[in-house]
Amino acid sequence: AQTVTQSQPEMSVQEAETVTLSCTYDTSENNYYLFWYKQPPSRQMILVIRQEAYKQQNATENRFSVNFQKAAKSFSLKISDSQLGDTAMYFCAFIDPTNQAGTALIFGKGTTLSVSS
Amino acid sequence: KAGVTQTPRYLIKTRGQQVTLSCSPISGHRSVSWYQQTPGQGLQFLFEYFSETQRNKGNFPGRFSGRQFSNSRSEMNVSTLELGDSALYLCASNSGGLVYNEQFFGPGTRLTVL
């Protein structure tokens, strides 16, 4: 079964600092998609960044970037210049379009990130 | 554009009852997916509907069912509620095209089973 593992249940960082959230996944497929979603306290989940497995270049979105290591099945999220508004639970997620449930997001258990001033 | 809306936001039921949750996707989106979020199991995929047809299904018992209407609004139903069904139920919509399209999530319905 395909799985997503986030080994850091909680992390803390101060404003303006850089933090990296870890994610590993398990699949035997070659083509798949990886995502980081953010769920702020009592607010709706939103997409932070996504990566297609066939692309070697790491995705970036403003202060958010990923380190995608396909051979190691690792997909970490780096947040630069952390802001108070980054406080949220972050979920790493995976889609395998060849799977029977091909459009289903498979989520990790999440990392709660707290940004303090 | 209005976002994904879910009703009701909070619900309290007792064991053995049934419940229906509703999700209205973003206008123009044809795909609606449902997820169950619990502290123990995390986020788990329930099912996805596209153009009124169930396209994918997760590993949940038959007590969990859903449907989608011609206007893309979706409902999920849970029959014979169990204590373990207490969870935040999220729905997500996307245009239904490419598989890596962004999923837009609603605020969720918090179901408590007593």
Side-chain angles (χ1 to χ4, degrees):
Chain A
Q2 291 150 336
T3 58
V4 177
T5 302
Q6 293 180 249
S7 58
Q8 307 148 314
E10 296 180 357
M11 295 190 72
S12 297
V13 68
Q14 294 207 308
E15 272 185 301
E17 290 184 344
T18 295
V19 63
T20 299
L21 279 57
S22 301
C23 173
T24 58
Y25 56 94
D26 186 25
T27 182
S28 57
E29 298 300 324
N30 195 44
N31 294 319
Y32 48 87
Y33 305 93
L34 294 160
F35 308 82
W36 278 98
Y37 276 87
K38 167 185 177 181
Q39 188 176 38
S42 302
R43 291 179 62 187
Q44 287 162 244
M45 187 137 57
I46 57 173
L47 177 67
V48 175
I49 198 164
R50 62 184 155 195
Q51 173 86 39
E52 293 91 334
Y54 63 86
K55 289 186 177 178
Q56 293 187 338
Q57 187 172 7
N58 289 325
T60 62
E61 287 287 342
N62 301 312
R63 297 182 296 108
F64 300 88
S65 62
V66 298
N67 183 5
F68 173 48
Q69 301 289 327
K70 191 172 183 179
K73 297 181 183 176
S74 171
F75 183 62
S76 60
L77 174 69
K78 185 171 84 170
I79 306 175
S80 304
D81 187 26
S82 295
Q83 300 175 0
L84 294 177
D86 295 334
T87 293
M89 181 166 280
Y90 287 81
F91 292 96
C92 179
F94 168 96
I95 279 183
D96 170 15
T98 66
N99 191 286
Q100 186 177 359
T103 58
L105 285 163
I106 300 170
F107 286 94
K109 290 291 180 72
T111 296
T112 300
L113 176 67
S114 298
V115 182
S116 57
S117 56
Chain B
K1 269 186 180 177
V4 178
T5 58
Q6 293 186 245
T7 58
R9 293 291 310 278
Y10 302 91
L11 209 48
I12 299 175
K13 292 286 187 179
T14 56
R15 278 182 300 174
Q17 288 187 311
Q18 74 166 19
V19 67
T20 299
L21 313 181
S22 180
C23 172
S24 292
I26 290 172
S27 177
H29 284 190
R30 297 165 64 191
S31 167
V32 174
S33 298
W34 289 89
Y35 292 85
Q36 181 194 65
Q37 185 175 17
T38 60
Q41 298 299 317
L43 281 150
Q44 294 183 286
F45 171 73
L46 281 155
F47 29 64
E48 183 215 3
Y49 286 86
F50 179 77
S51 293
E52 301 179 64
T53 301
Q54 186 181 85
R55 184 159 69 172
N56 291 306
K57 188 178 189 303
N59 190 26
F60 276 80
R63 300 185 298 106
F64 292 82
S65 63
R67 60 178 175 169
Q68 187 179 34
F69 302 94
S70 58
N71 62 358
S72 293
R73 188 177 70 86
S74 177
E75 290 182 346
M76 68 163 282
N77 184 76
V78 188
S79 62
T80 320
L81 283 166
E82 300 177 359
L83 295 178
D85 297 334
S86 293
L88 180 67
Y89 289 89
L90 297 173
C91 84
S93 78
N94 70 48
S95 60
L98 299 172
V99 71
Y100 57 83
N101 279 357
E102 178 177 355
Q103 298 269 10
F104 292 86
F105 284 82
T109 293
R110 171 85 53 195
L111 172 64
T112 302
V113 182
L114 303 176

